[in-house]
Amino acid sequence: MKKWKWMAATIPAALLAGSLTAMAAETKDVTMAFCTWTGYSPMFIAKEQGYFEDAGLNVDIQVIEDESTYAALITQGSIQFLATAQDPNIKMFANGAKSRYVLAMDASEGADGLVASADIQSLDDLKGKKLALDKSASSYYFFLTALEQGSSLTEDDIEVIEMGDTTQAGLAFMSGSVDAAIMWEPELSEALDSVDGAHALVTSADYPDTILDSLVVNTAYAEENPDVVAAVSDAWYQAVDFLNANPDQAYEMMASGFEEVTAEDVASDVQGLKFFGKAENEQLDDEANDDSIYAISQKMADFWMEKGECQTDDLTDFFELVK
């Protein structure tokens, strides 16, 4: 400590000012986007705790609810980083989005579910019933996987009411206008508490590999700024470590970046989430593991390819930053 104080005192003022100006000039502006969801919110910890700033980054986090704009934003480079669910990220890439996978952020292990009225006791009981869902959301893949693996039905056997977002689907169920709905927290808990006979027919805990959130980066930006990609990754890992060590403080920070979200909301949501820090990502990135990110993602790509939703199921380039 004394050594650094002495050096600062003996450096000529003009030279010191010039050095500080150079350091300031090295700060890089970065834009990141995601919707209102607790799974992404440790990024607010990284910002508030100064992890981005320490790495020389000025990160502008934009909360964008309209997920239909994501592919264009990441492809055009209007945003450099995007956080959303893994299967939409794969679909965007497979259909031409200029994106590369960076890391896994969290997995839903009960925070998403199919809630039904009392008379629906199995997935097969959904035949002819009204079910509300948002087909643009990650929970659509969860729903179709559950239907394929746990029933004799196809989507055509159900009167699917497509909603603008998952919150609207939950509200439709709570209003009594549909028999079932795919929803996530906090609507999931609200529906179970407020509607007589409401119960979770299946949740993401039953299909833990179906709803996984990830961070991607614009392809050209990643090639030109590998140091920034590494710094953002490291900031995320530090944020997850902080969350694990200081949950009450973390919940406040995580809620602060969203409108009308409280620390109590975050505390409830995280009960159904698993966050991925550095060790967990290293395990996911290991191709030797049967449940690696590549194996999980290939299932998603093959599924959507079969459904005609993807132009390719070759994810080689998508994973070039981590392989």
Side-chain angles (χ1 to χ4, degrees):
M1 180 64 72
K2 289 182 178 179
K3 180 179 179 182
W4 285 108
K5 284 185 177 180
W6 176 83
M7 288 177 68
T10 56
I11 294 173
L15 180 58
L16 181 59
S19 298
L20 293 173
T21 301
M23 289 173 63
E26 292 173 1
T27 300
K28 294 185 177 181
D29 293 330
V30 179
T31 303
M32 178 186 299
F34 46 77
C35 69
T36 301
W37 173 235
T38 296
Y40 313 130
S41 61
M43 286 299 184
F44 296 126
I45 298 175
K47 191 172 180 68
E48 191 161 332
Q49 287 295 105
Y51 302 148
F52 293 132
E53 185 179 357
D54 290 345
L57 304 180
N58 176 33
V59 178
D60 174 25
I61 298 177
Q62 299 185 3
V63 179
I64 301 176
E65 309 294 1
D66 186 359
E67 296 184 31
S68 68
T69 65
Y70 287 175
L73 290 172
I74 196 70
T75 297
Q76 295 166 1
S78 303
I79 57 175
Q80 287 77 57
F81 291 88
L82 170 67
T84 191
Q86 180 72 337
D87 73 290
N89 268 328
I90 287 170
K91 289 169 71 175
M92 285 187 284
F93 167 80
N95 293 321
K98 304 301 182 184
S99 58
R100 295 291 183 267
Y101 172 87
V102 177
L103 55 80
M105 305 176 81
D106 69 278
S108 177
E109 296 186 343
D112 298 70
L114 193 168
V115 178
S117 55
D119 59 317
I120 300 172
Q121 291 296 314
S122 71
L123 289 169
D124 282 330
D125 291 340
L126 289 169
K127 187 172 183 178
K129 301 292 187 179
K130 291 182 179 179
L131 181 144
L133 58 78
D134 173 14
K135 288 191 175 183
S136 70
S138 56
S139 48
Y140 183 45
Y141 173 66
F142 152 73
F143 165 64
L144 293 179
T145 300
L147 209 59
E148 262 192 15
Q149 297 182 12
S151 81
S152 61
L153 306 181
T154 69
E155 186 179 355
D156 293 337
D157 295 316
I158 304 167
E159 187 178 347
V160 173
I161 312 297
E162 188 167 1
M163 310 299 290
D165 59 44
T166 304
T167 296
Q168 290 181 17
L171 294 175
F173 176 79
M174 285 184 272
S175 72
S177 59
V178 296
D179 304 297
I182 302 293
M183 62 187 83
W184 56 34
E185 296 291 4
E187 287 77 24
L188 178 60
S189 293
E190 290 174 14
L192 295 175
D193 290 341
S194 64
V195 179
D196 288 343
H199 61 111
L201 206 56
V202 290
T203 74
S204 51
D206 301 307
Y207 299 91
D209 291 339
T210 56
I211 303 180
L212 181 78
D213 292 321
S214 61
L215 184 70
V216 299
V217 62
N218 171 270
T219 303
Y221 187 84
E223 292 172 352
E224 296 168 6
N225 301 275
D227 57 325
V228 176
V229 177
V232 169
S233 298
D234 190 55
W236 169 263
Y237 298 144
Q238 290 182 75
V240 172
D241 288 344
F242 183 92
L243 167 60
N244 291 334
N246 309 279
D248 291 339
Q249 285 179 264
Y251 298 157
E252 293 286 350
M253 296 179 197
M254 292 160 74
S256 68
F258 296 130
E259 293 183 4
E260 299 181 2
V261 174
T262 67
E264 289 73 21
D265 294 330
V266 172
S268 175
D269 289 352
V270 299
Q271 301 307 309
L273 292 175
K274 175 183 178 180
F275 287 97
F276 295 103
K278 186 172 184 179
E280 292 82 5
N281 269 277
E282 288 176 347
Q283 184 173 4
L284 279 171
D285 291 346
D286 185 350
E287 289 185 275
N289 294 326
D290 292 337
D291 56 352
S292 70
I293 189 65
Y294 317 111
I296 292 170
S297 301
Q298 196 61 56
K299 287 179 184 178
M300 294 177 177
D302 293 344
F303 180 91
W304 289 119
M305 187 78 173
E306 185 180 333
K307 298 290 183 184
E309 297 280 340
C310 288
Q311 296 177 15
T312 180
D313 59 358
D314 183 353
L315 303 179
T316 304
D317 290 345
F318 184 62
F319 287 113
E320 69 176 3
L321 299 182
V322 292
K323 273 198 173 184

